Amino acid sequence: MRKMRTWRECLIERITSRERAIGYLQAILEDYQIYKNPAVVLRALQTVVEAQGGVFELAKQVDMDPQVFSKMLSNKDMPLIDTLGIVLKALGYHISIQPIEPETSKLETYTDA
């Protein structure tokens, strides 16, 4: 009989590669821009951390105590951008700003007036 797994277990297995983890985080950040739910971003960061080696391993990457790193990942009061920056650095990633397609850009609307 085949063992049933949770969605999160399947997701963790799929995002063990760097490229898939980056794609997953990009999708989560795009979702955040629409729905503004920081809890989803925080949960996604926790999932990627687990898939990429866990709290202890990644805390070493940023020379941080694993307990502090773990608390940061579960702290809903810490500014999301701070958490995101620290976790992405530990994963070897960085935040990148990309232009929005011209036909959907709000900035373009303001500059045409």
Side-chain angles (χ1 to χ4, degrees), residues 46-99:
Q46 294 165 345
T47 303
V48 172
V49 164
E50 188 173 336
Q52 298 287 309
V55 169
F56 184 79
E57 186 61 36
L58 293 176
K60 289 192 309 187
Q61 300 296 323
V62 288
D63 196 31
M64 184 180 279
D65 181 280
Q67 288 182 328
V68 173
F69 193 81
S70 181
K71 276 187 179 179
M72 178 198 65
L73 274 173
S74 62
N75 186 349
K76 292 175 179 57
D77 295 328
M78 183 173 184
L80 182 59
I81 193 71
D82 293 343
T83 302
L84 185 61
I86 292 168
V87 173
L88 291 179
K89 182 179 179 185
L91 291 166
Y93 311 154
H94 63 89
I95 296 173
S96 176
I97 305 299
Q98 301 294 323

